[in-house]
Amino acid sequence: MSELELKPAAGRDRKMTEMAAAFGISPAVWAIGEKTEQRLKDRFAKIQETAEYNQYKVLRAMQECRVSAECFSSGTGYGYNDPGRDTLEEVYAHIFHTEAALVRAQITCGTHALAVALFGNLRPGDELLSISGKPYDTLEEVIGIRPSRGSLAEYGVSYRQVDLLEDGSFDFEKIRSAVTAKTKMVEIQRSKGYQTRPSLSVAKIAQAIAFVKSIREDILVLVDNCYGEFVEWEEPSDYGADIVVGSLIKNPGGGLAPVGGYIAGTRECIENAACRLTTPGLGREVGASLGVNRSFFQGIFLAPTVTASALKGAIFAANIYERLGFSVVPNAQEERHDIIQAVEFGTPEGLIAFCEGIQAAAPVDSYVRPEPWAMPGYDSDVIMAAGAFIQGSSIELSADGPLKPPYAAYFQGGLTWEHAKLGILKSLQSLVDKGLVKPEEL
Ligand SMILES: *Cc1c(COP(=O)(O)O)cnc(C)c1O
């Protein structure tokens, strides 16, 4: 037997608390983490099951599409005949069970992907109907809810919205009466984003899709899938969504994609989107991959397990902070439909201390102290913690929040569970050090 195997558990515990101490985490705070992790064993096992299923789904797609070493070569210039890019798009279509997909470095972010899908598929005189209430902030200017240069409204596309009911479910009655002859597309946002409503399960979205299609079959359904990919066993496109859209610096990029977005859907919808992303006539044929193919492939390959890590981190944080008496959304027990966790601190000091802790646990820029600042487009100062390999990546451990009541930190990501755990414990330590919580309260 090796020496390692003979070592008693106490030896491992000591080594761990010593390691935690090197990060400035006290034995008491570390112990809270251990206890919490122990309590969450069954839930973590379930998340692991989802990750396993999704890992095989991705792997199978790669095999079916015959991904080869040639796919990692880099295209330049026009980017005609880029086998890597075309195969990658086929892989996405297999994963999402759609006819086609557009997965490009030229899609600059999630908002851009959504805008391309909307502009590509809507024409003057059409109406867009959101049935999950107010869409994500950045879409307000895309749609023209807030007057904006180049919005859909400027092109004669009108917009209507049906809010979710109090309990977060779809308002089917109102949806039925909001659909008119003009309604060309219905939009559903899976994740709550930075709102307080619950995120939508794939099952609920499936119901809504079926309902919309029962009113009129030719209404297109677009799902903003940001932060939701691989959280469940299935995706909205498994239930008839015509288009699903997301960002590659969130879940499906697996932390490796340096930029990009995806749009997956029916052949017709994807061709329409491609003609908007590039030009009519050129469509999907152009768009050099510029050396990102390998990270896109490797990123989607890792995405199911990376998403699982982030999910464990979110649940871990909810459990720790809820026990300390803070309001957390979703709560400690709730089933998850995305990777975002909100914790309401009630005071600016709490929010700042939390973000400082997350930053201090980062692999990059850990020595930087985040400061609240007047970010453009916000009506209060905002604090952000991110020590990421990819700038702005929110599948990496990150947190931010506006400095106004209820002083909520929105927290997400974690490329590995181990790092997410350490980051959350470091945030707790930061609150303890400032006297904002006492570890014996747990
Ligand atoms: C992040 C996000 C977007 C926009 O993505 P960006 O990459 O920030 O432009 C849209 N919708 C939802 C629900 C999101 O979470």
Side-chain angles (χ1 to χ4, degrees):
M1 244 193 244
S2 76
E3 200 189 329
L4 201 72
E5 278 167 306
L6 286 171
K7 234 178 214 160
R12 287 204 294 274
D13 288 350
R14 203 195 59 231
K15 269 189 122 35
M16 272 301 188
T17 42
E18 277 172 13
M19 181 60 90
F23 285 99
I25 295 172
S26 69
V29 166
W30 183 257
I32 289 166
E34 293 302 280
K35 259 200 303 196
T36 306
E37 189 175 352
Q38 205 56 36
R39 273 203 307 271
L40 292 171
K41 250 172 119 174
D42 292 347
R43 289 192 75 187
F44 281 13
K46 279 217 168 111
I47 292 171
Q48 227 31 67
E49 259 179 32
T50 309
E52 185 177 0
Y53 180 78
N54 284 324
Q55 178 71 82
Y56 300 155
K57 193 196 311 186
V58 170
L59 178 61
R60 192 68 201 122
M62 289 186 163
Q63 294 180 352
E64 282 168 350
C65 299
R66 302 175 67 88
V67 173
S68 68
E70 193 197 5
C71 293
F72 306 144
S73 65
S74 170
T76 56
Y78 292 108
Y80 293 128
N81 304 319
D82 186 319
R85 181 196 65 206
D86 296 347
T87 306
L88 177 76
E89 292 184 338
E90 230 189 286
V91 167
Y92 266 70
H94 272 67
I95 292 167
F96 288 97
H97 301 122
T98 56
E99 289 172 2
L102 203 55
V103 189
R104 302 282 169 124
Q106 285 82 9
I107 298 177
T108 58
C109 60
T111 306
H112 187 200
L114 286 157
V116 165
L118 292 168
F119 275 96
N121 285 285
L122 292 164
R123 296 290 180 271
D126 287 344
E127 189 155 89
L128 171 67
L129 171 65
S130 164
I131 61 168
S132 49
K134 190 182 87 62
Y136 197 71
D137 267 6
T138 54
L139 284 187
E140 291 186 18
E141 286 175 277
V142 171
I143 296 168
I145 299 172
R146 272 186 281 148
S148 165
R149 193 193 303 273
S151 66
L152 282 169
E154 280 197 350
Y155 285 90
V157 174
S158 57
Y159 171 76
R160 257 193 217 218
Q161 171 180 318
V162 173
D163 291 338
L164 293 168
L165 293 169
E166 262 318 282
D167 67 354
S169 58
F170 289 103
D171 190 338
F172 290 109
E173 223 169 285
K174 284 230 177 83
I175 294 170
R176 186 187 294 283
S177 57
V179 170
T180 67
K182 284 176 70 177
T183 311
K184 172 72 177 292
M185 185 190 281
V186 158
E187 197 240 1
I188 300 171
Q189 185 180 310
R190 181 170 173 182
S191 164
K192 65 185 170 303
Y194 302 121
Q195 291 174 285
T196 46
R197 64 143 167 117
S199 291
L200 297 163
S201 67
V202 172
K204 272 193 171 172
I205 292 172
Q207 256 187 337
I209 295 171
F211 182 76
V212 167
K213 298 280 183 182
S214 78
I215 302 173
R216 192 153 43 68
E217 182 130 40
D218 64 347
I219 296 174
L220 299 174
V221 178
L222 177 149
V223 177
D224 176 350
N225 213 20
C226 281
Y227 284 132
E229 299 92 348
F230 304 124
V231 170
E232 298 186 43
W233 290 48
E234 289 167 312
E235 302 291 334
S237 44
D238 289 314
Y239 291 93
D242 298 276
I243 318 173
V244 289
V245 183
S247 162
L248 297 197
I249 61 168
K250 296 179 181 172
N251 310 15
L256 294 186
V259 67
Y262 78 90
I263 306 169
T266 63
R267 194 165 310 286
E268 184 68 14
C269 287
I270 297 307
E271 287 304 331
N272 281 334
C275 288
R276 174 70 196 199
L277 177 66
T278 68
T279 76
L282 296 180
R284 296 163 66 185
E285 301 300 317
V286 295
S289 58
L290 299 174
V292 296
N293 281 341
R294 187 197 310 273
S295 9
F296 281 10
F297 276 110
Q298 214 169 352
I300 188 82
F301 181 69
L302 292 181
T305 50
V306 169
T307 301
S309 299
L311 213 44
K312 287 181 191 171
I315 293 170
F316 184 72
N319 277 270
I320 286 193
Y321 282 103
E322 192 177 78
R323 280 194 164 231
L324 285 165
F326 295 102
S327 168
V328 296
V329 185
N331 72 32
Q333 272 80 47
E334 251 172 277
E335 220 185 300
R336 300 284 158 152
H337 307 299
D338 65 19
I339 62 167
I340 300 179
Q341 181 64 49
V343 184
E344 292 179 4
F345 288 100
T347 65
E349 294 78 23
L351 170 59
I352 293 169
F354 177 86
C355 289
E356 285 177 354
I358 295 294
Q359 183 78 39
V364 182
D365 293 336
S366 62
Y367 53 87
V368 169
R369 216 168 54 128
E371 300 250 5
W373 63 297
M375 202 180 144
Y378 287 82
D379 57 1
S380 66
D381 281 3
V382 175
I383 185 163
M384 294 189 168
F389 294 100
I390 306 293
Q391 286 169 33
S393 168
S394 47
I395 187 61
E396 297 185 50
L397 189 65
S398 48
D400 48 75
L403 278 234
K404 62 179 181 189
Y407 299 99
Y410 295 90
F411 148 88
Q412 68 271 308
L415 295 184
T416 68
W417 148 244
E418 290 76 6
H419 179 229
K421 172 183 170 181
L422 187 88
I424 294 149
L425 292 179
K426 189 72 185 149
S427 76
L428 175 58
Q429 185 70 53
S430 168
L431 281 133
V432 169
D433 291 346
K434 294 191 169 172
L436 298 166
V437 298
K438 297 184 177 59
E440 57 272 23
E441 284 170 3
L442 272 156

